Amino acid sequence: MDASQYKDYVLVLLFVKYVSDKYAGQPGALIEVPPGGGFADMVALKGDKEIGDKINKIIAKLAEANDLKGVIDVADFNNPDKLGRGKEMVDRLSNLVGIFQNPGLDFSSNRAEGDDILGDAYEYLMRHFATESGKSKGQFYTPAEVSRVMAKVIGINEAERQDQTIYDPTCGSGSLLLKAADEAPRGVTIYGQEMDNATTALARMNMILHNNATAEIWQDNTLANPHFRNADGSLKTFDFVVANPPFSTKAWSNGFDPENDLYGRFEYGIPPRKNGDYAFLLHILRSLKSTGKGAVILPHGVLFRGNAEGKIRKNIIRRGYIKGIIGLPPNLFYGTGIPACIIVLDKENAPGRTGIFMIDASKGFMKDGNKNRLRHQDIRMIVDVFTAATVETQVVETRVETQDLASLPSRRPRYARMVSHAEIEAQDYNLNIPRYINSTEPEDTQDIEAHLLGGIPNRDIDDLARYWEVFPTLRGALFEDGPRPGYSQLKVAAGEIKATIYAHPEFSCYTQRVNIVFDKWKADNMGRLRGIAESSRATPLIEALSEDLLQAFAVETQDSASLPSLIDKYDVYQQLMNYWTNTMQDDVYMIAVEGWRANGDLIPAQLVISRYYGAEQEATEALAAKKAAVGRQREEMAEEHGGEDGLLEEVVNDRGKICKAALKARLKETQGDRDYADETEALEAYLALVDQESQAGKSIRQAQKALGAKVADRYAALSEEEVRTLVVDDKWLMALATGVQTELDRISQALTGRIVALAERYAAPLPQLAEEVEALSDKVDAHLERMGF
């Protein structure tokens, strides 16, 4: 089945299982699970010849009891064309119900309170289905990373009351709405409209699964029939609006006349008949309160296309509604590879706005299959820079331009700036980001004189000033004056550059200072890590840990010594977030459910061995080294004597291997015969090596078995305090220390790579190359002459 079809079956069953576990038998619950309308009734049907029809009836009862008709009953569980006929359907549906019957899928209590594991699982499935469904079905899901950026830049975290509202006019499966609402500390009231019926059903299920059962989601065409209106017929307005409308839709005006719009949405101009990007933007503007904030994803064309769109853009800019523009990487969205941008809207501060803050985030991403994804550090950097611009609107242009903004790493200076309305007006209201931010890397210029006469240009060495500021005498250890002013030459061989950097006292000192920063972060957070308890929440923990880490590596002084930013704090942050995503998050959830209990998932056996059984491990490794050495001797002997006319030739099989059985048989034939004394000696020597290797293998297995028994006994005897030490110190913090070391290695590798590139570029000046070419040409001519040409 195509993903766009099987998602209906999987997600509906997930929904039924969730509400049955959480609400069945609870009077007054948000969702009523009526008799004959729950998951237990499905389990009772396993093997039933009419299982498909009866599952449909169970879902219908649940839908009718909760006004969910048309929402959870969209999949036909009795469709023989999709599910097979007769026994095939019975087996398929019985197995599917059996999967959801797994005791591990018990949602009766949210054991990690406040961390929506089920909602995250649902979002994961939605992303998977969007990826698998291809172009036509990707519209129902906005990547979670983009949703988080939008949620944070509209400032919904400052919402103080639950009756404040958020709206998405093209809400799809509701993932963007939920991510935005998640940022509100006290919650907000959710509204959404979606044109596609099946996708609306996904959104309503998604709201319930995320404990937002009261969210109002409506199915209809937002532009032609906006559902949310006031008593007088005007559009309802909201505190916050987020949206990811369909890009450049051609049929946007179907069902209504934009020239006579009932809601006054097109006072700034009517969008082109075959491109609806600005229709959605104008609908959003009209749907914002006078103090409202919004963010919308649109293709880059809205920034620069002319004619009707140019007129609308000019009117919106002059009214100050656009607070910022964030250019995103290409290929982020399902169904399209074109680059898009986030347009941030703010009505509240529009009258006094004199510029638009722009960010070019197009280069910050990671590959994920055939799509691109924003990394944790990309999200954080966008939000930090945008927030800093908001806080310091009057000075942000100067600070970003001079790379003095704490949130902007100095290695990314061509990233963001405040652009005045006057400058935009001079560009005829064209908002194309490259007009205002040049994000291209400077050209690596070639020095003609150095190519002709040799030497490394001092200009190129000076360009590495950020390193020389931190390692002031390292330059002198690597370079010396060349034969001409303005040029230098290496003092060490190219192959020794990396070792020279690593061994230099200033690099060692810098490494120590970085480690001091990391050690202080560890000390500050040790109590937080060791204090994780049952029912602890994972999300606040990682937020606190990551925030402290960013602050630690943003500090410019440590013991009165400067800590220049060779290490990008966002790279260190990414190391933490990678480890959190891959390992630590699961550990924290496990501890929150079971406490600090020793098991192989939380504490890999190698950690126990390293801390308690180092001697035994060394002994086992010594046996393995001995076995490997004997194996090498045996292979060398086989190679030396196993060929044609070799002493072991007779015992080599058709595959070129020496067979032990054949070896023993041949040895019986040759032993005692003087004519075969050399062969007998070789056979005996080879057999002795085989026996030694076998015995070493046996010893290793015995040692490993004994060590395994000790580890098993130790698991059972570990105290809670010992478990904490193994997990926090030996597992988590050791892994994060390795991540910090990776960033230090990256510094040395970048410096080494650049110096080696310069050295190799100018290693052989043109005259030397010409002489070498001439000498090689003479050799070729001589060879040709001897050959008679």
Side-chain angles (χ1 to χ4, degrees), residues 515 518-519 521-522 526 529 575 579 584 607 610-611 724-742:
N515 287 333
F518 181 64
D519 288 343
W521 174 82
K522 287 196 301 185
M526 187 64 76
L529 291 169
Q575 292 285 347
Y579 186 65
M584 192 174 169
L607 289 179
S610 297
R611 177 163 282 273
R724 279 188 168 88
T725 299
L726 283 164
V727 174
V728 176
D729 295 25
D730 297 3
K731 186 180 183 181
W732 295 346
L733 294 178
M734 190 64 70
L736 295 176
T738 301
V740 173
Q741 184 59 49
T742 298

Side-chain angles (χ1 to χ4, degrees), residues 77-91:
F77 283 82
N78 199 35
N79 186 331
D81 295 330
K82 291 182 180 178
L83 298 169
R85 300 176 188 276
K87 188 174 185 304
E88 185 182 6
M89 177 187 286
V90 173
D91 290 347

